[in-house]
Amino acid sequence: MSIVEKALEFADRKHKFVTTSDRIIAAREVKDLILGVNELYKENKDQELMDLMKRLTVIKQKIEKRLKGRPSAA
């Protein structure tokens, strides 16, 4: 399975991560996918690859926001 197919599968998958470790694993996976798609994008500058990276980045930001939690009142 190519990196683009893996990235599309991840982007279309339901993102319901119950535990913190699930979120950490998903964040690492999506980061690797973004970097892999970026290497392909560097070679041929395909706009569809850029759009895919943007979709994955939004997903990654949501996961990371959930990992950080709410700021505590000081």
Side-chain angles (χ1 to χ4, degrees):
M1 184 183 288
S2 73
I3 191 77
V4 175
E5 291 171 352
K6 288 180 185 177
L8 287 171
E9 188 269 328
F10 186 89
D12 294 336
R13 176 185 332 163
K14 294 281 186 190
H15 298 102
K16 196 163 190 133
F17 307 111
V18 181
T19 64
T20 301
S21 62
D22 290 344
R23 290 185 201 102
I24 292 170
I25 291 168
R28 289 178 182 166
E29 181 182 356
V30 73
K31 179 181 177 183
D32 290 338
L33 290 172
I34 291 169
L35 292 175
V37 173
N38 188 33
E39 290 299 318
L40 291 175
Y41 179 76
K42 287 179 185 178
E43 293 173 8
N44 57 13
K45 305 290 188 200
D46 185 9
Q47 186 60 38
E48 290 180 12
L49 293 175
M50 179 57 78
D51 293 338
L52 178 59
M53 284 192 296
K54 288 178 182 178
R55 282 178 56 196
L56 293 173
T57 301
V58 168
I59 293 169
K60 180 175 173 276
Q61 288 171 343
K62 288 180 183 178
I63 294 170
E64 289 177 344
K65 184 186 293 186
R66 174 77 181 184
L67 276 172
K68 289 181 184 177
R70 298 181 184 188
S72 60

